[in-house]
Amino acid sequence: MRPEDILPHRPPFLLVDELWDIVPGTSAKGRWRLSGEEPFFGGHFPGSPTLPGVLMVESLAQTAAAAVLADERFTGSLPLFGGIDRARFRRQVRPGDTLDLEVTIDHLSGRGGKGQGRASVDGQLACEASLLFVVTRC
C-alpha cells in the first residue's frame, strides 16, 4: 500500500515508502529505502553519512499511525506523538540501506494509545522503542 493513501505526511517528511500487513488498530509493517540523496545525510555526518536516530523513531511512528488510521474509528483523525520510551539504537543505518519497520499497538482508546516498534536492516535490529501517542480530530 502507498503510505500517501493512509498517512497525512508528505515529502520531505514522509519516512515510509511502502506499507503492508496492516491489521487496523493492531499492527503494521513498512519499509523505508534510503537512497543516500536525502538532504540530512549531507550534514549527518560529512564523510560518514548516518541516518539520525530520531528519524528512525519517526519512521516507526508513521508506521504505527498507519495501523491507527486504518481503524475506521479513527477516520479523519491525526495521531500525534505523546512520548517515546526506552528508545535504543543498535546499529548504524547508512545510505543504500533499507529499513524494515514493524509496529504493534498494545493499547488503543479514543484518546490515544501505546505501541512498540522495531526497525531492522538485513535482519539486524537497528532501533527499538515504545511509542506513546494521542489522537486528535482534524
Side-chain angles (χ1 to χ4, degrees), residues 10-62:
R10 293 296 177 264
F13 210 71
L14 180 61
L15 307 181
V16 180
D17 295 320
E18 180 182 359
L19 292 164
W20 71 92
D21 199 18
I22 298 175
V23 179
T26 303
S27 64
K29 293 181 181 178
R31 181 167 291 136
W32 185 19
R33 292 174 190 87
L34 296 152
S35 68
E37 298 301 315
E38 295 84 1
F40 50 79
F41 279 131
H44 196 266
F45 297 96
S48 186
T50 301
L51 176 64
V54 67
L55 295 182
M56 274 193 269
V57 174
E58 175 64 25
S59 67
L60 288 169
Q62 290 182 16

Side-chain angles (χ1 to χ4, degrees), residues 91 97-100 120-125:
R91 82 182 290 285
D97 285 345
T98 296
L99 200 58
D100 293 315
S120 60
V121 175
D122 295 328
Q124 294 180 340
L125 184 62

Side-chain angles (χ1 to χ4, degrees), residues 75-86:
T75 300
S77 296
L78 183 64
L80 300 172
F81 257 133
I84 304 163
D85 290 332
R86 296 187 301 279

Side-chain angles (χ1 to χ4, degrees), residues 58-127:
E58 175 64 25
S59 67
L60 288 169
Q62 290 182 16
T63 305
V68 172
L69 293 171
D71 186 320
E72 64 185 32
R73 296 176 296 167
F74 299 100
T75 300
S77 296
L78 183 64
L80 300 172
F81 257 133
I84 304 163
D85 290 332
R86 296 187 301 279
R88 298 291 180 263
F89 304 97
R90 308 291 184 189
R91 82 182 290 285
Q92 281 184 299
V93 178
R94 298 188 169 277
D97 285 345
T98 296
L99 200 58
D100 293 315
L101 309 162
E102 187 171 346
V103 296
T104 56
I105 307 297
D106 302 326
H107 171 76
L108 182 60
S109 72
R111 296 179 58 200
K114 181 178 181 178
Q116 308 297 318
R118 294 172 55 91
S120 60
V121 175
D122 295 328
Q124 294 180 340
L125 184 62
C127 172

